[in-house]
Amino acid sequence: MAFAVVLVILVLGSVLFHFLSPWNITPIASNWGSIDVTMLITLVITAVVFIAVNFFIAYAVIKFRHTPERKAQYEPENKKLEWWLTLGTSVGIIAMLAPGLIVYADFVNVPEDAHQVEVVGQQWSWSFRFPGEDGELGKSAIEHISTDNGFGVDPLDGAGQDDRLLTSNTLVLPVNRPVKLLLRSKDVLHNFYVPNFRVKMDSVPGQVSYQWFTPTRTGDFEVLCAEYCGIGHFNMRAFIKVVEQQEYDDWLAGLPTFAQSLKKEASEKLSVKAEKGMQVAQQKGCMACHGFESSPAGPSWLGLYGSTRVMKDGSEVVADDDYLKEAILEPNASVVKGYAPIMPKLELSELEMESVIAFIKERGNETDPEHQQGTDAGKASGAELAQSKGCTACHSIDGSRLVGPSWQGIYGSERTLASGETVTVNDAYLKESMFKPNAKMVEGYPPVMPPSQLSTAQANALIEYIKSL
Ligand code: CUA
């Protein structure tokens, strides 16, 4: 008897909790009311079954409770009952699945008048690209991704030059206009989830997935990454600000185009030839393995030109034009000590070759790091970089402890390392922490920070920003 009463109380309590619970779903702000309806149908069906099954158990416990006179009945098969149960279950499951299929057909059928926005996920931030005047997104590929070209836009594709780039985490969208989000990932699985819009889709490295919706209310809505993607996952957020069309147009016009951003990132000191070389190096995929600070697979280009290289066989060579030319044409003829002979042969014209060498020479041998400091790379862009490069997923700026040390007041402070040594946080220490993050670990933090993809100017801007906190 007591068991039956407890069961009934539990069921009534669950139903009551559903109606009184403070954890209601967020108010809807898109066209996807039909998704809420399918959820409601599933909820009602499972609730009815839940209540019916539990009440039946309570009823059976009381009705068939043990008395000395009664004997259990043996009934191994009841065809009629089995038919009813099979039929009832089938109808229930169809009623739960069918609405989902109907809505999903809508979800994958994008309206023709939808405008496009590309979303790029990386550990642990989101960035966005808009087609320019031509209404077309330029081609992009993983081999074009470098510190200066975070989206990997093909620098030689005409359609990409006017694409507008947004590297802050607040995406602005016009109200009442369908939008198709094209999702890409630079590293691992992420998932672009906007609870208020009821949309959610994986972004998968190596392919482009999509989702569409029409924002129906102006306001600010939060974006969450809904796929575990590493230690900063919990903080991989963004915001969508829905505004009137006019406000959106003005905002979009203020974003830099891809062509402008390449120019801005390129050092002002580069000659025309070296700038062309930079484009070639990006186009041909050199920057996938070589860089100026972080150099993922091959020798760094920083200070390479004119330096003396020790080859595998022990001989020494000066890295001049001839040497670089040979290294590009016959990459594995003689390999620098410590590197694997894995560089692919490239087809470069004489002019392309010369420009790449000019680029390596000019960019890699800028001996005074001061000249870029404090120019256009001020505090604002440092704050932007912190966000777009994903730093803020793990480092707070208000002193609170996340995955990594907070940046507030960090500059100039003394830190105790895991090795027991102490260091003063200065420019050199911060730079080392960015490019070789796990070389000197501060005590009490796990060695989980990925090496940063930053140019010298970007690193300096970040340091300026950290100083200001
Ligand atoms: Cu990105 Cu979780």
Side-chain angles (χ1 to χ4, degrees), residues 22-177:
W23 300 312
N24 282 316
I25 52 172
T26 48
I28 191 163
S30 81
N31 58 312
W32 289 118
S34 50
I35 288 182
D36 283 359
V37 174
T38 60
M39 301 290 273
L40 188 68
I41 292 172
T42 302
L43 183 76
V44 167
I45 292 172
T46 50
V48 166
V49 172
F50 171 75
I51 294 167
V53 166
N54 281 289
F55 277 12
F56 175 74
I57 292 173
Y59 164 78
V61 163
I62 295 168
K63 170 90 190 196
F64 302 109
R65 72 180 181 279
H66 173 75
T67 52
E69 312 86 65
R70 192 164 55 227
K71 272 187 126 187
Q73 285 176 26
Y74 178 62
E75 199 181 323
E77 206 172 283
N78 183 336
K79 274 252 157 78
K80 206 174 142 199
L81 184 63
E82 275 166 27
W83 268 111
W84 277 113
L85 286 177
T86 308
L87 205 72
T89 313
S90 307
V91 170
I93 288 179
I94 290 169
M96 285 194 286
L97 294 186
L101 289 176
I102 295 167
V103 176
Y104 195 71
D106 281 344
F107 195 72
V108 294
N109 266 315
V110 185
E112 284 195 354
D113 58 340
H115 67 117
Q116 295 195 337
V117 179
E118 182 186 69
V119 178
V120 181
Q122 72 175 90
Q123 288 172 321
W124 289 281
S125 62
W126 300 101
S127 34
F128 307 90
R129 179 161 69 115
F130 302 78
E133 312 267 276
D134 59 1
E136 205 184 319
L137 286 164
K139 287 197 201 78
S140 63
I142 209 87
E143 57 264 29
H144 301 311
I145 290 179
S146 69
T147 53
D148 298 331
N149 186 357
F151 288 80
V153 181
D154 185 339
L156 298 188
D157 183 14
Q161 302 300 317
D162 64 348
D163 288 0
R164 295 199 180 267
L165 308 179
L166 172 65
T167 49
S168 98
N169 66 352
T170 304
L171 170 66
V172 176
L173 289 177
V175 71
N176 293 328
R177 216 177 127 202

Side-chain angles (χ1 to χ4, degrees), residues 260-331:
Q260 285 167 345
S261 83
L262 267 192
K263 271 242 162 62
K264 191 181 140 211
E265 298 290 354
S267 164
E268 283 161 14
K269 279 191 170 175
L270 287 191
S271 64
V272 178
K273 195 179 202 178
E275 208 167 304
K276 155 96 178 148
M278 180 181 73
Q279 281 182 12
V280 174
Q282 278 166 350
Q283 161 77 14
K284 299 284 179 184
C286 312
M287 311 309 287
C289 294
H290 300 280
F292 292 93
E293 278 85 14
S294 58
S295 197
S300 169
W301 285 353
L302 189 68
L304 169 63
Y305 192 88
S307 68
T308 307
R309 321 293 292 167
V310 181
M311 309 309 285
K312 211 166 218 159
D313 60 8
S315 62
E316 292 189 354
V317 196
V318 174
D320 54 12
D321 286 41
D322 288 339
Y323 166 79
L324 288 175
K325 229 172 252 185
E326 195 202 304
I328 295 169
L329 284 178
E330 292 292 336

Side-chain angles (χ1 to χ4, degrees), residues 124 189-191 225-229 233 236:
W124 289 281
L189 265 184
H190 300 280
N191 184 301
C225 177
E227 181 67 57
Y228 182 68
C229 56
H233 160 72
M236 184 169 168

